[in-house]
Amino acid sequence: MYCANGIADKLYPLFENFEDSVLLSFFEGMYGDAYSDSLEIPASAVIVSGDFYFCAGDISFARDAIKLARDNRYAIFMPENEQWAQALVTLDERLFITKRFRTKLPENGFNLEVLKGYAGRISQYPEFKLEPINEVYYNKAKEQDWSAAFTSNFKDWSEFKRRAFGFVVTYNGEIISGMSCYTVYSKGVEIEVATDERYRLKGLAKICGGAFLTECINRGLTPHWDARNETSLAIAEKLGFEFKESYPALEYKQEYFE
């Protein structure tokens, strides 16, 4: 296995059938690391970006893919096809195949008034505040597992401020919900959304989403929402995204890490 960060042009043909903005970030040289079976003529590779492991090419490389993620309990394998998925789950009994949901932009564009309306619902909760991610919240997001991905793909506050943005709902100065850039590329962003389990079912993710998507529109950026589950998909659809298709991914059974 070789670190293949310097041969992105040779890896691209292996991943051209993927549809994921996280990969666009990698191929623009912004985020992620690549590993392949060869630096001259790669037949298989894995691109790692945050917790995502994109696997393509010859499935004989599956064992190396497992090695790359073996200590990451939150790893999400994105296999090129069913053969890759079966190879991975066969090699590691801790893995299971789950279903994710790909969305697409609304045919007629986002309704800006609807988005602003969602953001405005923060007024229903006078004890909460809707705020942009600043340096304080950048650091606070890192302190909790559920919110770490709001900022984890940016090495420091300076990089986040320069390249990304996000919004959080706070209570007494603590983050309880948020939506941020998981990764960015020149024309768009991959969305990260989460809410502290103690504050779910209050519509806070939609409040953050209204503010975040409005900012995307103002900046002329394309937002991408890859939904982990049906709850995430439902929130995306409320905000204006449309369902495109479901697809398989692999995650670790968390009981193996207890």
Side-chain angles (χ1 to χ4, degrees):
M1 177 169 56
Y2 300 90
C3 179
N5 288 345
I7 61 165
D9 57 330
K10 295 180 181 179
L11 299 181
Y12 183 77
L14 295 174
F15 294 91
E16 61 183 347
N17 291 327
F18 279 79
E19 183 181 333
D20 200 295
S21 74
V22 175
L23 287 176
L24 295 178
S25 297
F26 171 79
F27 284 109
E28 286 191 358
M30 292 187 179
Y31 305 101
D33 295 293
Y35 303 87
S36 67
D37 62 335
S38 169
L39 296 180
E40 299 301 322
I41 307 176
S44 53
V46 175
I47 292 175
V48 183
S49 186
D51 291 326
F52 289 88
Y53 296 73
F54 297 89
C55 307
D58 193 316
I59 61 172
S60 63
F61 203 59
R63 193 173 300 276
D64 292 286
I66 294 292
K67 290 178 181 178
L68 288 170
R70 62 189 170 196
D71 296 324
N72 182 4
R73 67 185 297 172
Y74 302 115
I76 302 169
F77 288 94
M78 308 287 273
E80 177 186 15
N81 49 41
E82 180 64 24
Q83 288 74 28
W84 258 100
Q86 289 302 322
L88 290 167
V89 79
T90 299
L91 286 168
D92 194 333
E93 64 177 3
R94 300 176 300 167
L95 288 171
F96 70 98
I97 298 175
T98 185
K99 183 166 65 173
R100 296 179 68 93
F101 303 92
R102 190 170 286 119
T103 68
K104 60 182 179 180
L105 298 176
E107 185 174 346
N108 297 315
F110 290 101
N111 186 319
L112 192 57
E113 292 307 310
V114 169
L115 295 177
K116 290 180 178 179
Y118 275 120
R121 291 185 183 183
I122 192 64
S123 62
Q124 299 175 8
Y125 302 100
E127 70 274 29
F128 299 160
K129 292 182 180 180
L130 174 63
E131 305 178 75
I133 293 179
N134 56 25
E135 187 171 6
V136 171
Y137 294 135
Y138 170 89
N139 290 312
K140 281 183 176 290
K142 293 181 175 182
E143 296 173 359
Q144 305 173 93
D145 283 349
W146 73 266
S147 60
F150 291 158
T151 60
S152 61
N153 284 324
F154 303 88
K155 64 181 180 181
D156 53 30
W157 162 245
S158 178
E159 184 187 20
F160 182 89
K161 182 180 180 180
R162 185 175 72 254
R163 287 183 166 178
F165 57 92
F167 290 86
V168 290
V169 172
T170 62
Y171 177 53
N172 290 335
E174 299 300 322
I175 299 172
I176 61 174
S177 184
M179 185 176 292
S180 185
C181 300
Y182 185 74
T183 55
V184 302
Y185 67 104
S186 58
K187 297 181 180 179
V189 304
E190 182 69 32
I191 289 172
E192 175 67 23
V193 57
T195 298
D196 185 321
E197 62 181 9
R198 296 171 295 176
Y199 297 93
R200 291 174 183 169
L201 303 179
K202 295 180 180 293
L204 301 184
K206 290 192 285 290
I207 290 172
C208 294
F212 184 89
L213 292 174
T214 297
E215 185 67 13
C216 286
I217 292 170
N218 291 339
R219 295 186 182 213
L221 296 172
T222 299
H224 299 264
W225 190 309
D226 185 273
R228 181 183 181 185
N229 51 43
E230 292 182 353
T231 299
S232 177
L233 176 62
I235 296 170
E237 290 178 324
K238 288 286 187 180
L239 290 166
F241 286 91
E242 298 176 1
F243 170 74
K244 182 175 182 179
E245 61 188 357
S246 61
Y247 68 93
L250 294 92
E251 297 182 11
Y252 282 118
K253 301 171 186 175
Q254 292 302 300
E255 58 264 28
Y256 284 94
F257 295 88
E258 300 300 330

